[in-house]
Amino acid sequence: MSSSANSPEKDPSFYITTPIYYVNARPHLGHAYSTIVCDAIARRKRSQGYATWFLTGTDEHGQKIERSAAKAGRTPGEFAAAISGEFRGLWDRMGITYDDFIRTTEPRHKRGVQKLFAELKAKGFIYKGSYTGQYCVSDEAFVEVPPGAPCPDCGRTTETISEENYFFKLSAFERRLLEFYEANPGFIEPEARRNEVIAFVRGGLKDLSVSRTSFSWGIPVPGDEKHVVYVWMDALTNYMTALGYGADEPELKARFAKFWPADVHLVGKEIIRFHCVYWPAFLLAAGLPVPRSVVANGWLLFDKAKMSKSVGNIVRAETVLEVLGGDALRYFLLREVSFGHDGNFTFEALVQRYNGDLANGYGNLVSRVVNMVHKYFGGVLPEIAPEAVATGPAEAAIAGQATETILEFGAQFDGMDFSRALETVWALVGAVDGYLTSAAPWKKKPDVADEDFAAMQARVLATAAEAIRVMTGLVHPILPESAAKVWRQLGLGEIEDAAKSGELKQLAWGGLRAGTRFNEPAPLFPRAEKDAVERMENLEKDNTLTAVAAASGTEAVAVAEPVAAAPVVDAVKEAVKHEGIAQIGIDDFVKVELRVAQILVAERVPKADKLLRLEVDLGYEQRQILAGIAQYYAPETLIGRKVVIVANLAPRKMRGLESNGMLLAASVGDEGAPVLAGFLEDVPVGARLR
Ligand code: MSP
């Protein structure tokens, strides 16, 4: 695969997108995979001098979401907000550097979708008709199979629908699309997918239904509001509406002009047809530029099947983050999976790679070298006096390999062969390890003079430290947290600054200066204990919110009970003691700002049994609150729940995290078990209690 962006000299902008995620199910590792790949690419592009825009978001309309919400007993809007908040919260926790997060329920998106629809209609590419045939709700796709037959793509049951629809003249684009693929060989990657798409189009294209009338959870067709826009037309348009398509504001128009068309739409292989056939056809019809490339990733498999909520074989990213950390997950996914192909996820392989490549490999190398610079040179990188100790062949070999690594890594990474790119860097890790072992700068031989030994130590440590600087500069898009730590240990400051200033773009052997003061060594990848696999497996088992495959075959979210529901209810039955608190006047009461807030994110605070970290929406702002309710409420049960908070409580810090407010709860029973305050009627977020 080749890099699709132009060189920064010709075109300094780069626009990359993840697919927008359906909000019918909580995020899992499969979703995290696409997002991590895009994040790594965006980080590297920024460091290479491209003005980069990285978009992600959630796909919130359609029948599948409407039904999932109904099943969970919520309105689609509430339901979508809660799950969208989970995706966003997880990306934030993982340090994903997205520039924008679009929700298809936002007004800016609705405006753009209606504009595109109206334009296609005005140009004569959309006409009214009726559709009778099969529909797969899970894929949100019209499928050509006889009634009662399963979906040819996902195997789930299809439904017969018969409704008045608007149609897009897809059939008119058969030739133009084939010509377009021919003229733009880099448009679909990898090659196998390209062949698949070309064969599909050659097989003949029928007009595509682009509206629905049998449900209402969608964007109304302009001028004919009993129709909602077909969810795939709605969803695909996000790539433009997020930039500003359909907006009147000059700064948004400028952003659209700067970044459209996208350089890379990264998508899963099962949605290539929507992106490579329907999407370019809509754009060609509207007279808009077509994206430069659609790159398909393979699937992450668990127990040999695509990881998915409906199969029930998902692993949550949070589990890996908690036990091994975010960089371990990023490294594993990019190193283990050959990009474009399916790849297996197992806890055993993850721990093996973590211990082998990160803890014992790169992490151990950094720690040895930084420790020795402290031990032998007081933490200051020594001078290599050229007249006293000529740099020998071993150093020249390391320098040569490092220089080659810079070139090879760049070509492999930009060609999206992340696994080989990492392999290339780890070959350098191995070489430097071997070099250290054979030079043994910690062991003075009796026949070597003191000053010769000191000179050898200086030469070897300076060479090894420089090699570490090079590898760290390269892997920073993949291991951002660890690279930042190593950069600081080498006394180089913030690696993000080096990325911004263009220093990483110029990465070349010989940049580490003698006299640089190293910082204290800090652990990078503590060895995973024997029970790491078991701990992760248990965390997944404990996850009370395993997928529930609904009878229809669509995915649903189970709403679990609070972990300690029964004791709490018992406790409520007990007599409540009045604590004899002094009376206050209304003036005192109004000083307390009580408001309705909705919980968007809820997660345990590592090493704090009682605390949950919450992100709540107040309508006018979102904020973080820490609540001591972890022993009574499973975090997943709180997502989407409306609660009452004390909004004007002065911020305070707990476990290094700032809490901005307090949740109101009844305190019941001897233990003072919390029971969260709530409402029977629906209340808007932000409403004040008085
Ligand atoms: N909403 C559509 C995309 C619209 S884009 C205009 C959708 N959503 S999805 O939530 O079902 O999937 C989003 C992405 O996650 C897809 O690219 C899909 O391939 C990816 N993955 C979901 N499970 C996955 C794996 N097990 N492995 C790898 N990627 C997977 O489709």
Side-chain angles (χ1 to χ4, degrees):
M1 281 179 253
S2 63
S3 172
S4 49
N6 299 328
S7 77
E9 286 73 38
K10 280 189 240 146
D11 176 4
S13 73
F14 181 81
Y15 178 33
I16 184 165
T17 64
T18 70
I20 47 171
Y21 302 100
Y22 282 134
V23 290
N24 65 311
R26 300 205 153 90
H28 57 69
L29 272 189
H31 307 121
Y33 177 53
S34 329
T35 310
I36 287 171
V37 170
C38 284
D39 184 62
I41 297 174
R43 285 177 187 263
R44 177 164 164 91
K45 286 290 172 190
R46 285 189 205 107
S47 75
Q48 297 299 301
Y50 292 82
T52 301
W53 197 259
F54 168 19
L55 173 71
T56 187
T58 43
D59 188 355
E60 305 189 9
H61 289 132
Q63 214 165 4
K64 157 152 131 168
I65 311 297
E66 194 181 67
R67 287 186 184 171
S68 297
K71 221 165 263 161
R74 309 225 188 127
T75 65
E78 253 181 27
F79 186 77
I83 306 252
S84 175
E86 278 209 47
F87 273 96
R88 193 173 182 149
L90 178 60
W91 300 161
D92 288 343
R93 181 169 170 198
M94 284 169 41
I96 300 296
T97 57
Y98 58 85
D99 294 288
D100 193 2
F101 185 105
I102 186 150
R103 299 183 52 195
T104 54
T105 44
E106 288 178 70
R108 61 172 172 158
H109 177 69
K110 177 178 170 189
R111 187 169 60 180
V113 169
Q114 290 184 325
K115 174 178 160 141
L116 181 66
F117 196 100
E119 215 142 281
L120 293 177
K121 192 152 174 274
K123 289 193 158 126
F125 290 111
I126 285 183
Y127 63 91
K128 207 179 227 179
S130 69
Y131 176 87
T132 298
Q134 297 310 110
Y135 191 80
C136 172
V137 177
S138 184
D139 290 351
E140 294 284 15
F142 300 90
V143 288
E144 274 185 59
V145 290
C151 170
D153 294 323
C154 71
R156 294 187 183 94
T157 320
T158 58
E159 297 175 22
T160 306
I161 59 171
S162 183
E163 26 178 271
E164 181 187 273
N165 286 172
Y166 281 99
F167 282 84
F168 171 74
K169 283 188 187 164
L170 187 63
S171 57
F173 286 87
E174 218 170 284
R175 257 224 359 249
R176 276 188 76 185
L177 282 171
L178 290 170
E179 282 165 9
F180 175 79
Y181 304 144
E182 180 83 27
N184 298 279
F187 176 63
I188 310 168
E189 296 182 17
E191 178 116 22
R193 301 286 158 231
R194 177 181 155 77
N195 298 338
E196 190 183 304
V197 169
I198 291 175
F200 176 80
V201 176
R202 282 206 182 120
L205 293 177
K206 288 210 175 116
D207 289 351
L208 175 74
S209 175
V210 286
S211 76
R212 300 285 314 268
T213 39
S214 56
F215 66 94
S216 59
W217 180 239
I219 296 178
V221 164
D224 195 354
E225 307 227 327
K226 80 172 194 287
H227 289 253
V228 292
V229 177
Y230 171 43
V231 66
W232 269 102
M233 180 181 251
D234 166 341
L236 289 161
T237 312
N238 92 88
Y239 301 132
M240 293 199 305
T241 57
L243 284 184
Y245 174 78
D248 297 323
E249 297 87 333
E251 65 279 12
L252 295 180
K253 286 187 154 171
R255 192 163 75 191
F256 183 70
K258 176 166 183 181
F259 288 108
W260 191 257
D263 292 282
V264 177
H265 287 321
L266 186 92
V267 302
K269 63 179 183 181
E270 80 285 10
I271 54 174
I272 201 92
R273 192 190 342 142
F274 300 96
H275 284 83
C276 296
V277 181
Y278 303 164
W279 185 222
F282 296 156
L283 294 168
L284 289 170
L288 288 160
V290 174
R292 297 208 173 89
S293 77
V294 176
V295 178
N297 62 262
W299 289 337
L300 212 54
L301 313 176
F302 193 69
D303 292 338
K304 302 207 169 64
K306 180 191 179 203
M307 194 181 283
S308 94
K309 203 95 177 176
S310 57
V311 176
N313 62 345
I314 64 138
V315 176
R316 296 164 317 133
E318 291 87 336
T319 292
V320 182
L321 298 187
E322 199 159 318
V323 177
L324 298 176
D327 277 4
L329 178 60
R330 295 170 71 101
Y331 178 81
F332 178 79
L333 292 177
L334 292 181
R335 175 66 184 85
E336 188 81 3
V337 180
S338 165
F339 185 79
H341 299 273
D342 292 350
N344 256 311
F345 179 86
T346 66
F347 289 121
E348 289 78 7
L350 169 68
V351 170
Q352 208 171 353
R353 280 250 175 245
Y354 174 86
N355 275 339
D357 296 3
L358 297 176
N360 296 341
Y362 175 59
N364 184 44
L365 175 66
V366 172
S367 129
R368 281 164 89 192
V369 172
V370 173
N371 275 305
M372 282 193 277
V373 170
H374 278 283
K375 185 165 171 192
Y376 302 122
F377 295 98
V380 177
L381 191 72
E383 187 88 50
I384 314 171
E387 66 288 355
V389 198
T391 300
E395 287 72 35
I398 295 290
Q401 186 171 345
T403 302
E404 254 170 51
T405 300
I406 296 172
L407 293 174
E408 271 179 38
F409 176 91
Q412 289 159 344
F413 188 111
D414 295 341
M416 298 203 181
D417 195 347
F418 309 111
S419 181
R420 276 189 48 216
L422 285 169
E423 221 177 309
T424 302
V425 174
W426 259 254
L428 182 60
V429 172
V432 179
D433 252 339
Y435 163 71
L436 274 182
T437 307
S438 75
W442 52 87
K443 200 165 74 195
K444 187 175 129 22
K445 292 196 186 112
D447 56 337
V448 174
D450 280 356
E451 62 276 22
D452 288 348
F453 178 62
M456 180 275 268
Q457 284 184 311
R459 186 182 69 216
V460 171
L461 291 178
T463 304
E466 173 58 4
I468 290 173
R469 186 188 71 91
V470 167
M471 26 181 113
T472 304
L474 292 176
V475 299
H476 124 274
I478 296 170
L479 300 175
E481 254 182 65
S482 322
K485 285 189 196 162
V486 175
W487 213 250
R488 279 183 221 124
Q489 287 180 44
L490 296 181
L492 297 171
E494 293 306 313
I495 197 163
E496 283 311 322
D497 294 342
K500 275 192 204 116
S501 69
E503 191 184 327
L504 295 185
K505 186 181 164 197
Q506 311 294 340
L507 196 66
W509 182 262
L512 199 54
R513 298 269 154 261
T516 305
R517 176 161 287 283
F518 280 22
N519 282 310
E520 286 308 310
L524 283 178
F525 303 105
R527 241 192 101 78
E529 300 299 330
K530 276 208 190 79
D531 66 350
V533 167
E534 204 185 321
R535 274 177 65 207
M536 287 189 278
E537 283 171 350
N538 285 342
L539 278 171
E540 282 306 299
K541 269 191 224 137
D542 286 353
N543 174 24
T544 44
L545 293 154
T546 42
V548 172
S552 66
T554 59
E555 297 177 339
V557 172
V559 178
E561 293 302 316
V563 270
V568 170
V569 172
D570 289 341
V572 174
K573 289 183 189 150
E574 289 179 21
V576 181
K577 284 184 270 168
H578 181 253
E579 294 164 10
I581 297 170
Q583 282 191 336
I584 55 166
I586 190 75
D587 291 347
D588 280 325
F589 175 70
V590 293
K591 285 185 198 151
V592 184
E593 191 193 1
L594 298 173
R595 287 197 187 269
V596 177
Q598 186 168 32
I599 299 177
L600 301 178
V601 175
E603 58 191 19
R604 293 182 193 281
V605 175
K607 300 196 192 97
D609 294 351
K610 296 187 180 150
L611 274 192
L612 289 186
R613 189 187 78 83
L614 308 172
E615 275 172 39
V616 303
D617 185 9
L618 277 164
Y620 54 93
E621 68 170 22
Q622 292 183 4
R623 52 165 82 179
Q624 169 172 290
I625 293 184
L626 299 171
I629 56 173
Q631 289 165 320
Y632 298 91
Y633 287 91
E636 304 80 36
T637 62
L638 294 172
I639 310 289
R641 183 156 171 171
K642 285 182 179 164
V643 290
V644 178
I645 69 159
V646 182
N648 63 339
L649 199 65
R652 58 187 188 128
K653 275 212 160 165
M654 291 182 240
R655 303 263 167 181
L657 296 167
E658 194 171 88
S659 183
N660 288 292
M662 187 178 102
L663 246 58
L664 275 201
S667 172
V668 298
D670 288 337
E671 283 180 10
V675 179
L676 289 176
F679 299 89
L680 293 175
E681 287 86 6
D682 196 22
V683 279
V685 289
R688 175 125 193 231
L689 282 81
R690 15 174 145 242

